[in-house]
Amino acid sequence: MSQIRIGILGGGYMGKAHSVAMSAVGAVFNTGLRPRLEMICASSPESAERYRAAYGFHRSTHDWRTLVKDPEVDAIVIATPQEIHRDIAEAALALGKPVFCEKPMGASIDDSAAMVAAAEASGVANMVGFNYIRTPASQFARQMIADGEIGDITWFRGEHTEDFYADPETPASWRTEGMANGTMGDLAPHMINAALALIGPITRVMGSYETVHKSRPGGRVTNDDHGQMMCRFENGAMGHMYFSRIATGRKMGYAYDISGTKGAIRFDQEDQNAIWLYRAEGREAERGFRKILTGPAHPDYEPFCQGPGHGTGYQDQIIIEARDFLRAIETGAPVWPTFRDGYEVNRVIAATLASADSGIWTDIRDF
Amino acid sequence: MSQIRIGILGGGYMGKAHSVAMSAVGAVFNTGLRPRLEMICASSPESAERYRAAYGFHRSTHDWRTLVKDPEVDAIVIATPQEIHRDIAEAALALGKPVFCEKPMGASIDDSAAMVAAAEASGVANMVGFNYIRTPASQFARQMIADGEIGDITWFRGEHTEDFYADPETPASWRTEGMANGTMGDLAPHMINAALALIGPITRVMGSYETVHKSRPGGRVTNDDHGQMMCRFENGAMGHMYFSRIATGRKMGYAYDISGTKGAIRFDQEDQNAIWLYRAEGREAERGFRKILTGPAHPDYEPFCQGPGHGTGYQDQIIIEARDFLRAIETGAPVWPTFRDGYEVNRVIAATLASADSGIWTDIRDF
Amino acid sequence: MSQIRIGILGGGYMGKAHSVAMSAVGAVFNTGLRPRLEMICASSPESAERYRAAYGFHRSTHDWRTLVKDPEVDAIVIATPQEIHRDIAEAALALGKPVFCEKPMGASIDDSAAMVAAAEASGVANMVGFNYIRTPASQFARQMIADGEIGDITWFRGEHTEDFYADPETPASWRTEGMANGTMGDLAPHMINAALALIGPITRVMGSYETVHKSRPGGRVTNDDHGQMMCRFENGAMGHMYFSRIATGRKMGYAYDISGTKGAIRFDQEDQNAIWLYRAEGREAERGFRKILTGPAHPDYEPFCQGPGHGTGYQDQIIIEARDFLRAIETGAPVWPTFRDGYEVNRVIAATLASADSGIWTDIRDF
Amino acid sequence: MSQIRIGILGGGYMGKAHSVAMSAVGAVFNTGLRPRLEMICASSPESAERYRAAYGFHRSTHDWRTLVKDPEVDAIVIATPQEIHRDIAEAALALGKPVFCEKPMGASIDDSAAMVAAAEASGVANMVGFNYIRTPASQFARQMIADGEIGDITWFRGEHTEDFYADPETPASWRTEGMANGTMGDLAPHMINAALALIGPITRVMGSYETVHKSRPGGRVTNDDHGQMMCRFENGAMGHMYFSRIATGRKMGYAYDISGTKGAIRFDQEDQNAIWLYRAEGREAERGFRKILTGPAHPDYEPFCQGPGHGTGYQDQIIIEARDFLRAIETGAPVWPTFRDGYEVNRVIAATLASADSGIWTDIRDF
């Protein structure tokens, strides 16, 4: 075991999640590289110091450049707003420091393309944080599909639906401003990443999105409340995705239904310890969707619990990300998802927005 | 109670269902008009006679004109292939005989328009058979939405998915020939009817459909295996529908998710005695989707079972249709869905097919 | 097809259910014996005549002896209060007329023993109506267990829970008087019958029951609100059953969980079109309870619906009973459950009540 | 923040779980007392050193007395076999060191009584680890019941069912020897603790338990495979519990159904992020069990995830225990469950075993 000194940029929700993960990953996984919480950066000296004490870092700063350049910081975790993802990543990569960047990667498709270029030029570990995909359930789905266990995929339906803006009286905030914080910017990346990981590249899209509640107490809303997209995958499958922050009653509706010629898979993150599998085999009278509870037999499960049925929580996925980032650094081998994967997600979003803006629909009155 | 003499055209699955319903409806509902199974028509004298004996009709014929014109036949149920829906309906309506017609109504949008014209000119009872919508669950959903209980509708997602052609080795048959027997012709009408009934008129669509398995043992496939559509409703709601006969594992996936500003409703016909309701009210800690078991408190439930929880079956919906058709005849008042409602469904399908054929998509390679 | 003339005693809920079933069974099943609704008996001439007209019988009477002796009544269905089950059955059997008797059979264990003796002496068809067991789901469970598909049974847990008396303010009625109308008399028979049918004979019991709400608006309560029993089956399995009319929220909680050495089965009548099966085979990662939707591949399903997923309702089970009763008459072969099966159920109840009355418990203060 | 130096006895599954929890609790909760992983004890010097390195302790030992007496160990976590719980606890308490002891507490009811006496004499923090009860779901259930939200409790049904010994070919091991490792010793404590916490004291029991598979590859089985108990609570409620390690298909069947006069609650740890609540209020047509997803509005949820729907895992419960133990030390106030609560659980088990051994059953042949 040798020590690796971690610098985290951003002390908010994701900053805390990654700090806790880096604290715990060593004991949980008996990793080769043991992280040390070296330095945390936040927007003011006071908040940075507060986070330092709360999360157990050695030092703090309010200047990201200071953190990136610090000779005792070996690797970087970016949990800041997207506007400075690119600058931070380019600076760190130029110094040969591995970078883990929270999704969505960069403030624009150009930013993310530049980040890919910098990462690939540097040759060091680069990784994007799409944490939901890391449940044992979704990793199992990915493996089953890749192994052909449900045959050729014919249909993918995904959604990422929540209801934190379902009430028209919920006040405007930073969340209701800027494309990056709307559903196409904030929620879509997770499910598009899942679609690409589970089914493969997307070739064509046709989308639609809108702001349902155009003003809220405290201000106007300048980004979208929900959006949808029909798509075609390179392997021929047809698909549909829906993203919403106004899906009343949905708390973590990160869900997909997948049909193949030999079976089907269904998942909903609201019951993240289960995955549903149907196999079109055996006698007809015994066929049905199986509710499989994830356990030691599934990918990325064992280290947490030696017994089955113990359940995985959100923080567990963040610890898995920490483990994988450390592995990427240790071995030098790329670990999915790399910056390039993050860029592919952004590309699908850009195409969807463009197709929606083109406004081509068929009027029912013509029939 | 006075007797009404029923003539049924078609002795197959739906002909049997309506025969059983007409046998039972009097005892179940204590109807004012009591049906008598007067005459059944099938494609040959032998099959007509066999159905007559099996279902308890008084007479049989293999000529639909004979049945329609028979002076002792008071009302007509059409359960034949769609090609002759229009001829039968026009002939019966010209004689002033009420007509119940199985969905989808007519072989083309022109046929269904002509049937509406004939029905409205005649002034007699005319009704279309979209049986799935008649569960107490879906009737309750319709009432709740109409009463504004879940607020303004923002999103409708519907599907009608089954898997009877999921296996590529299932042989070609009459079902794999002709648009009327594909998913857009056979399954889509049910869910489009539900969408219109629950949410209201559709104004714009953008669709996509395809034949996944282009040949099967025994021949080529000339109609679609699955299709999807994004849509916009007149009340502003956004929507999506999907129809499939290759949805591996789905047996009766007639399902919808509806979001409103004050609540949400979810339903899946695979558990047709339950409906899920979410209300965005009360304290946060107690909110959740309620699984409501349909019972005496719900529309169209009581007559069958005086106690709660007894469950409704498919045949029960057909009996409800029989009751409603008898009521329409008895009172002269139109009973939903009329021929006009059937026509509206066909119109949405025609627009969807046209939009899909226009082939406008956005290529991901441009981004 | 030859006609059989049916006399039904009782015009209330079950009388209506059996009348509708006898109207429909011919068209549904194309039975060899076709029932004719000959005569109905109710407590007064007026009510009898009203039921006659409503259900479509030819004649009515208010004297059960008149109906039983009528030479144009071939077979008898008893849907009266239990006090006169025995008299009616003995009279009919003495005339060689087949008898179908609603559960629970007879007003006492002695009555039911006498009914078994009369039935076995007569040699004619005799059958008891435990309708819930007749879903395709429960028939499939029975077949799977009998075939050894889930191995040796180690555990059976059953419940029949409803909530029609959960509210202490629900007034006293005939249902709150007399052991026959309490949970041990009214609900327990269904689940005990299921246990005997699924697992086999019970050898030992230890029970407990009580009246929770001892008085209600309108009077005192003289029968039990809920009861439970631990038991041992002849095949060695351990078991537990619970019966309640105060199980708040439960509408038709006729449910069982069964563990075997090779698998498990779970069922809840609140979703009566599904049954859950677990098989301890195949690779660990794919094991899970399968939600099997009942369809054409399951026992007693096909006749109703040629397509899968259509759902079975309560009335469908009553029609299946009518079919089986007609078959028993036609073939002369006994059809499960016979009067003897009804007697076995009563025996288990009697033993449970006796064990509960003995009051042997272990006091926790001694430890 | 001041530091508290933790000594953990036992490096196996629970030892690791508590080590990880103590690593993470500071960053997660920003606790007043910050734990330092001072010393770990395991059965040999080699294993102790291995655990030390893996989990991040400062020192290791293979002698529990060394750890307990060490002046730089401030508080003790016992995760050893039960045989030495008492000795360790008495030694530590005598030195005034707070003790957290894994369940079940002590090897016998006498041991646990002695541990209570020692703890109460010492006046320092003492706590037992029944981790499953600490989900936000179960804490919410406890609060709802205590607040009278579902009225007077009439029925409690609990089970703790798993299937790790369902296969008769699974070899004998330490788990199949000794009452402490059978279902009554190992699984029953969790659900009995839940029953006491949710409903209150138990006054009477009547139990039954058995070894189904008396020998297994590798040896004879000397403890029980499953057991059940009927019980009566001090508040009048009736109850039943079942414990099994042969419940084929169950992975974490820690589940309960509770009926009250005004509502009902259902929970199953296999879907630990949801709890089902029924309220007998509002209009009948809208009543149903609500599936409530636990989130920030529920007890013990917020600290982990600021957003709803993120899901809680097993390790999260262990961290909550760590937080509560630190709080008990910091404030000096007792934190549930104390040693006394652990003793009450053991008392119910002892009474259940005694009642089962008395063998009083009613023979069905007498009826």
Side-chain angles (χ1 to χ4, degrees):
Chain A
M1 292 190 300
S2 60
Q3 203 171 52
I4 181 157
R5 295 162 298 183
I6 305 290
I8 296 188
L9 297 115
Y13 181 54
M14 290 312 304
K16 175 173 177 178
H18 289 294
S19 299
V20 173
M22 289 292 179
S23 295
V25 66
V28 171
F29 283 107
N30 204 7
T31 49
L33 285 179
R34 285 297 179 105
R36 166 184 156 105
L37 297 182
E38 189 60 39
M39 193 185 290
I40 188 159
C41 173
S43 52
S44 71
E46 296 71 28
S47 64
E49 178 54 23
R50 199 170 59 246
Y51 291 135
R52 189 203 61 73
Y55 308 158
F57 281 83
H58 287 260
R59 292 179 292 148
S60 70
T61 177
H62 70 287
D63 172 31
W64 68 259
R65 284 180 186 82
T66 301
L67 185 147
V68 169
K69 289 180 199 159
D70 191 282
E72 303 200 354
V73 169
D74 301 319
I76 302 286
V77 174
I78 306 177
T80 65
Q82 293 144 275
E83 285 67 26
I84 52 169
H85 281 184
R86 178 178 171 175
D87 289 348
I88 297 170
E90 287 178 339
L93 291 163
L95 294 167
K97 297 190 180 184
V99 180
F100 176 100
C101 183
E102 259 309 308
K103 72 93 227 177
M105 199 179 75
S108 67
I109 191 157
D110 289 343
D111 272 11
S112 55
M115 290 169 75
V116 173
E120 298 187 350
S122 78
V124 299
N126 57 97
M127 193 174 155
V128 188
F130 292 111
N131 39 59
Y132 297 126
I133 194 71
R134 288 175 183 280
T135 50
S138 284
Q139 290 303 309
F140 176 65
R142 199 178 172 201
Q143 193 177 79
M144 290 291 284
I145 294 167
D147 292 350
E149 296 287 348
I150 63 167
D152 296 326
I153 305 306
T154 55
W155 172 247
F156 173 87
R157 186 182 76 73
E159 66 178 73
H160 189 141
T161 49
E162 305 196 27
D163 71 355
F164 54 92
Y165 266 112
D167 183 349
E169 296 308 310
T170 301
S173 75
W174 62 270
R175 284 186 169 278
T176 49
E177 281 175 36
M179 277 308 289
N181 298 318
T183 52
M184 293 304 300
D186 184 35
L187 301 183
H190 282 295
M191 189 44 60
I192 292 170
N193 176 60
L196 297 176
L198 294 166
I199 315 297
I202 289 173
T203 53
R204 293 188 307 164
V205 295
M206 171 63 67
S208 178
Y209 65 100
E210 69 176 339
T211 307
V212 172
H213 303 298
K214 295 184 180 58
S215 77
R216 293 177 172 276
R220 285 188 54 75
V221 176
T222 63
N223 55 21
D224 53 304
D225 284 324
H226 66 162
Q228 65 173 318
M229 167 211 344
M230 304 194 298
C231 66
R232 179 70 66 179
F233 291 88
E234 199 170 283
N235 65 10
M238 194 155 80
H240 179 257
M241 287 182 248
Y242 177 60
F243 321 106
S244 176
R245 64 187 184 192
I246 58 166
T248 307
R250 288 294 256 166
K251 306 306 173 190
M252 187 40 67
Y254 172 95
Y256 47 79
D257 293 359
I258 303 169
S259 300
T261 49
K262 292 162 57 183
I265 285 175
R266 312 191 90 180
F267 174 72
D268 189 331
Q269 188 95 346
E270 289 188 353
D271 185 6
Q272 67 188 355
N273 295 307
I275 188 151
W276 296 75
L277 170 68
Y278 184 95
R279 276 187 173 284
E281 68 181 29
R283 66 185 190 111
E284 185 66 32
E286 293 191 31
R287 292 187 190 172
F289 274 91
R290 292 173 218 177
K291 184 179 185 179
I292 300 171
L293 299 173
T294 50
H298 298 105
D300 281 340
Y301 187 88
E302 301 93 318
F304 287 84
C305 305
Q306 290 157 19
H310 275 167
T312 179
Y314 177 69
Q315 188 62 46
D316 298 334
Q317 275 76 66
I318 312 293
I319 297 178
I320 292 272
E321 288 188 325
R323 180 201 64 183
D324 287 357
F325 184 47
L326 297 177
R327 275 190 193 159
I329 296 169
E330 193 180 8
T331 66
V335 168
W336 181 88
T338 62
F339 277 15
R340 182 161 287 281
D341 298 299
Y343 165 71
E344 291 298 335
V345 168
N346 289 354
R347 215 168 145 218
V348 174
I349 293 173
T352 303
L353 296 176
S355 74
D357 293 341
S358 72
I360 297 161
W361 285 81
T362 297
D363 198 310
I364 198 84
R365 284 169 303 187
D366 298 339
F367 291 83
Chain B
M1 293 190 298
S2 60
Q3 203 171 52
I4 181 158
R5 295 161 299 185
I6 304 291
I8 295 186
L9 297 115
Y13 182 54
M14 289 314 303
K16 176 174 176 177
H18 289 294
S19 299
V20 172
M22 288 292 179
S23 295
V25 66
V28 171
F29 283 106
N30 203 7
T31 50
L33 285 179
R34 284 298 179 105
R36 168 184 154 105
L37 298 181
E38 189 60 39
M39 193 185 289
I40 189 160
C41 172
S43 53
S44 72
E46 295 70 28
S47 64
E49 178 52 24
R50 199 171 61 245
Y51 291 135
R52 189 204 63 71
Y55 306 159
F57 281 83
H58 287 260
R59 292 179 292 148
S60 70
T61 178
H62 70 287
D63 173 31
W64 69 261
R65 286 181 183 83
T66 301
L67 186 148
V68 170
K69 289 181 197 158
D70 190 282
E72 304 200 354
V73 168
D74 300 321
I76 302 287
V77 174
I78 306 177
T80 65
Q82 292 145 275
E83 285 67 26
I84 52 168
H85 280 184
R86 177 178 173 176
D87 290 346
I88 297 170
E90 287 179 337
L93 291 164
L95 294 168
K97 297 189 180 183
V99 180
F100 175 101
C101 183
E102 260 308 309
K103 72 93 227 179
M105 199 179 76
S108 67
I109 192 157
D110 289 341
D111 272 11
S112 55
M115 290 169 73
V116 173
E120 297 187 351
S122 78
V124 299
N126 57 95
M127 194 174 155
V128 189
F130 291 112
N131 39 59
Y132 296 126
I133 194 68
R134 286 174 183 281
T135 49
S138 284
Q139 290 302 308
F140 176 65
R142 200 178 170 201
Q143 196 178 78
M144 291 290 285
I145 294 167
D147 292 350
E149 297 285 349
I150 61 167
D152 296 326
I153 305 306
T154 54
W155 173 248
F156 173 86
R157 188 182 75 76
E159 66 177 73
H160 189 141
T161 47
E162 306 196 27
D163 72 354
F164 55 92
Y165 266 112
D167 183 348
E169 295 307 310
T170 302
S173 76
W174 61 270
R175 284 186 169 279
T176 49
E177 282 176 35
M179 278 307 290
N181 297 318
T183 53
M184 293 305 299
D186 184 36
L187 301 183
H190 281 296
M191 188 43 61
I192 292 171
N193 175 61
L196 297 175
L198 295 166
I199 314 298
I202 287 172
T203 53
R204 295 188 306 165
V205 295
M206 173 61 67
S208 179
Y209 65 100
E210 68 175 338
T211 306
V212 172
H213 303 298
K214 296 186 179 57
S215 76
R216 291 177 174 274
R220 285 188 53 74
V221 176
T222 63
N223 55 24
D224 53 303
D225 283 325
H226 67 161
Q228 65 173 318
M229 169 210 343
M230 305 195 296
C231 65
R232 178 69 68 180
F233 291 88
E234 198 171 282
N235 65 10
M238 194 155 79
H240 180 258
M241 287 182 248
Y242 177 59
F243 320 107
S244 177
R245 66 187 183 192
I246 57 166
T248 308
R250 288 294 257 166
K251 305 305 174 189
M252 185 43 64
Y254 172 95
Y256 47 80
D257 292 359
I258 303 169
S259 300
T261 49
K262 291 162 56 182
I265 285 176
R266 312 191 89 181
F267 175 72
D268 190 330
Q269 188 94 347
E270 290 188 351
D271 184 5
Q272 66 189 356
N273 295 308
I275 188 151
W276 295 76
L277 171 68
Y278 183 95
R279 275 187 174 284
E281 67 182 29
R283 66 185 190 110
E284 186 66 31
E286 293 191 30
R287 292 187 191 173
F289 275 91
R290 293 171 218 179
K291 185 180 183 179
I292 301 171
L293 299 173
T294 52
H298 299 104
D300 281 339
Y301 186 89
E302 302 93 320
F304 287 84
C305 304
Q306 291 157 17
H310 274 166
T312 180
Y314 177 68
Q315 188 62 45
D316 299 334
Q317 275 76 67
I318 313 292
I319 296 177
I320 293 271
E321 289 188 324
R323 181 200 65 182
D324 287 356
F325 184 47
L326 296 176
R327 274 190 194 159
I329 296 170
E330 193 180 7
T331 66
V335 169
W336 181 86
T338 61
F339 276 15
R340 181 161 289 279
D341 298 299
Y343 166 71
E344 291 298 336
V345 168
N346 289 353
R347 216 168 144 218
V348 174
I349 293 172
T352 304
L353 296 177
S355 74
D357 293 341
S358 72
I360 299 162
W361 286 81
T362 297
D363 198 310
I364 198 82
R365 286 168 301 188
D366 298 339
F367 292 84
Chain C
M1 294 189 299
S2 61
Q3 202 171 54
I4 181 158
R5 294 161 302 183
I6 304 291
I8 294 186
L9 297 114
Y13 182 54
M14 290 313 303
K16 176 174 175 178
H18 289 294
S19 299
V20 172
M22 288 293 180
S23 295
V25 65
V28 171
F29 283 107
N30 204 7
T31 51
L33 285 179
R34 286 297 179 104
R36 167 184 154 107
L37 298 182
E38 188 61 38
M39 194 185 288
I40 188 160
C41 173
S43 52
S44 72
E46 295 72 27
S47 65
E49 178 53 22
R50 201 172 58 245
Y51 290 135
R52 189 204 62 72
Y55 306 159
F57 281 83
H58 287 260
R59 291 179 293 147
S60 71
T61 178
H62 70 288
D63 174 31
W64 69 260
R65 285 180 184 84
T66 300
L67 185 148
V68 169
K69 288 181 199 159
D70 191 282
E72 304 199 354
V73 168
D74 300 321
I76 301 289
V77 174
I78 305 178
T80 67
Q82 293 145 274
E83 286 68 26
I84 53 168
H85 281 184
R86 177 178 173 176
D87 290 348
I88 296 170
E90 288 178 338
L93 292 163
L95 292 167
K97 296 188 179 184
V99 180
F100 176 100
C101 183
E102 259 308 308
K103 73 94 228 181
M105 199 178 75
S108 67
I109 192 159
D110 288 343
D111 272 12
S112 55
M115 289 169 74
V116 172
E120 297 187 350
S122 77
V124 299
N126 57 95
M127 195 173 155
V128 189
F130 292 111
N131 38 59
Y132 296 126
I133 195 69
R134 287 173 184 283
T135 50
S138 284
Q139 290 303 308
F140 176 64
R142 200 178 172 202
Q143 195 177 78
M144 290 290 285
I145 295 167
D147 292 350
E149 296 285 350
I150 62 166
D152 296 327
I153 305 306
T154 54
W155 173 248
F156 173 87
R157 188 183 74 76
E159 67 179 72
H160 189 142
T161 48
E162 306 196 27
D163 72 354
F164 55 91
Y165 266 112
D167 183 349
E169 295 308 310
T170 301
S173 75
W174 62 269
R175 283 186 168 279
T176 49
E177 282 176 35
M179 280 307 289
N181 298 319
T183 52
M184 295 304 300
D186 184 35
L187 301 183
H190 281 295
M191 188 42 60
I192 293 171
N193 175 61
L196 297 175
L198 294 167
I199 314 297
I202 287 171
T203 53
R204 294 187 308 163
V205 295
M206 172 60 67
S208 178
Y209 64 101
E210 71 176 336
T211 306
V212 172
H213 303 299
K214 296 187 178 56
S215 76
R216 291 176 174 276
R220 286 187 53 74
V221 175
T222 63
N223 55 23
D224 53 305
D225 284 325
H226 65 162
Q228 65 171 317
M229 169 211 341
M230 303 194 298
C231 66
R232 179 68 69 180
F233 291 87
E234 199 171 280
N235 65 9
M238 195 154 81
H240 180 258
M241 287 182 249
Y242 177 59
F243 319 108
S244 176
R245 65 187 183 192
I246 57 167
T248 306
R250 287 294 256 165
K251 305 305 173 188
M252 185 42 66
Y254 173 95
Y256 47 79
D257 292 359
I258 303 169
S259 301
T261 48
K262 292 162 56 183
I265 285 175
R266 314 192 88 180
F267 175 71
D268 190 330
Q269 187 93 349
E270 290 188 352
D271 184 6
Q272 66 189 355
N273 295 309
I275 188 150
W276 295 76
L277 170 68
Y278 183 95
R279 276 187 174 285
E281 67 181 31
R283 65 187 191 110
E284 187 66 31
E286 292 191 30
R287 292 187 190 173
F289 274 91
R290 291 172 219 177
K291 184 178 184 179
I292 300 171
L293 298 173
T294 51
H298 299 105
D300 282 341
Y301 187 89
E302 300 94 319
F304 286 85
C305 304
Q306 292 158 18
H310 274 165
T312 180
Y314 178 68
Q315 189 63 44
D316 298 334
Q317 275 76 68
I318 313 293
I319 296 178
I320 292 272
E321 289 189 324
R323 180 201 65 182
D324 287 356
F325 184 46
L326 296 177
R327 275 191 193 159
I329 296 170
E330 193 180 8
T331 65
V335 168
W336 181 87
T338 63
F339 278 15
R340 182 161 288 280
D341 298 298
Y343 165 72
E344 291 298 337
V345 168
N346 289 353
R347 216 168 145 217
V348 174
I349 294 172
T352 303
L353 296 175
S355 74
D357 294 341
S358 73
I360 299 161
W361 286 80
T362 297
D363 198 310
I364 197 81
R365 286 169 301 189
D366 298 340
F367 292 83
Chain D
M1 293 191 298
S2 59
Q3 203 171 53
I4 181 157
R5 296 161 299 184
I6 304 291
I8 295 187
L9 298 115
Y13 182 54
M14 289 313 304
K16 174 175 177 178
H18 290 293
S19 300
V20 173
M22 290 292 179
S23 296
V25 66
V28 172
F29 283 107
N30 203 8
T31 50
L33 285 180
R34 286 295 179 105
R36 168 184 154 105
L37 297 183
E38 189 60 38
M39 194 185 289
I40 189 159
C41 173
S43 51
S44 71
E46 296 71 27
S47 64
E49 178 53 23
R50 200 172 58 244
Y51 291 134
R52 189 202 62 71
Y55 307 159
F57 281 82
H58 287 260
R59 291 179 292 148
S60 69
T61 177
H62 71 286
D63 172 31
W64 69 258
R65 284 180 185 82
T66 302
L67 185 148
V68 168
K69 288 181 199 158
D70 190 282
E72 304 199 353
V73 168
D74 301 319
I76 301 286
V77 174
I78 307 177
T80 66
Q82 292 144 273
E83 286 66 27
I84 53 169
H85 281 184
R86 178 179 172 174
D87 289 349
I88 297 170
E90 287 178 338
L93 291 163
L95 294 168
K97 297 189 180 183
V99 181
F100 176 100
C101 182
E102 260 307 309
K103 71 94 225 176
M105 199 179 74
S108 66
I109 192 158
D110 288 343
D111 272 11
S112 54
M115 289 168 75
V116 172
E120 297 186 350
S122 76
V124 300
N126 57 97
M127 194 175 154
V128 189
F130 292 111
N131 39 59
Y132 297 127
I133 194 69
R134 287 174 185 280
T135 50
S138 283
Q139 289 303 309
F140 176 65
R142 200 178 171 201
Q143 194 179 77
M144 290 290 285
I145 294 167
D147 291 350
E149 297 285 349
I150 62 166
D152 296 326
I153 305 306
T154 55
W155 173 248
F156 173 86
R157 186 181 77 74
E159 66 179 72
H160 189 142
T161 48
E162 304 196 28
D163 72 355
F164 55 92
Y165 266 112
D167 182 349
E169 296 308 311
T170 301
S173 75
W174 62 270
R175 285 187 168 277
T176 49
E177 281 175 37
M179 277 308 289
N181 298 319
T183 54
M184 294 305 299
D186 183 36
L187 302 183
H190 282 295
M191 188 43 61
I192 292 171
N193 175 60
L196 297 175
L198 294 167
I199 315 297
I202 288 170
T203 54
R204 295 186 307 164
V205 294
M206 172 62 67
S208 178
Y209 65 102
E210 69 176 340
T211 307
V212 171
H213 303 298
K214 296 185 179 59
S215 77
R216 291 178 174 274
R220 284 188 53 76
V221 175
T222 63
N223 55 22
D224 53 303
D225 284 323
H226 66 162
Q228 65 172 317
M229 167 209 346
M230 303 194 299
C231 66
R232 179 70 67 182
F233 292 87
E234 199 171 281
N235 65 9
M238 194 154 81
H240 179 258
M241 286 182 249
Y242 177 60
F243 320 108
S244 177
R245 65 187 182 192
I246 58 166
T248 307
R250 288 293 257 166
K251 305 305 172 189
M252 187 40 67
Y254 172 94
Y256 46 80
D257 292 358
I258 303 169
S259 301
T261 50
K262 292 162 56 184
I265 285 175
R266 316 190 88 181
F267 175 72
D268 190 331
Q269 188 94 349
E270 289 187 353
D271 184 6
Q272 67 188 353
N273 294 308
I275 188 152
W276 295 76
L277 170 68
Y278 183 96
R279 276 187 173 283
E281 67 182 29
R283 66 185 190 109
E284 186 66 32
E286 293 191 31
R287 292 188 190 172
F289 274 91
R290 290 172 220 178
K291 184 178 185 179
I292 300 172
L293 298 175
T294 50
H298 299 104
D300 283 339
Y301 187 88
E302 300 93 320
F304 286 85
C305 304
Q306 292 157 17
H310 275 166
T312 179
Y314 178 68
Q315 188 62 45
D316 299 333
Q317 276 76 68
I318 312 293
I319 297 178
I320 292 272
E321 289 188 325
R323 179 201 65 182
D324 287 357
F325 184 47
L326 296 177
R327 276 189 192 158
I329 295 170
E330 192 179 9
T331 66
V335 169
W336 181 86
T338 61
F339 277 15
R340 182 161 288 280
D341 299 298
Y343 165 71
E344 291 298 336
V345 168
N346 289 353
R347 216 169 146 218
V348 174
I349 294 172
T352 303
L353 296 177
S355 74
D357 293 341
S358 72
I360 297 160
W361 286 81
T362 297
D363 197 310
I364 197 83
R365 285 168 302 188
D366 298 339
F367 292 84

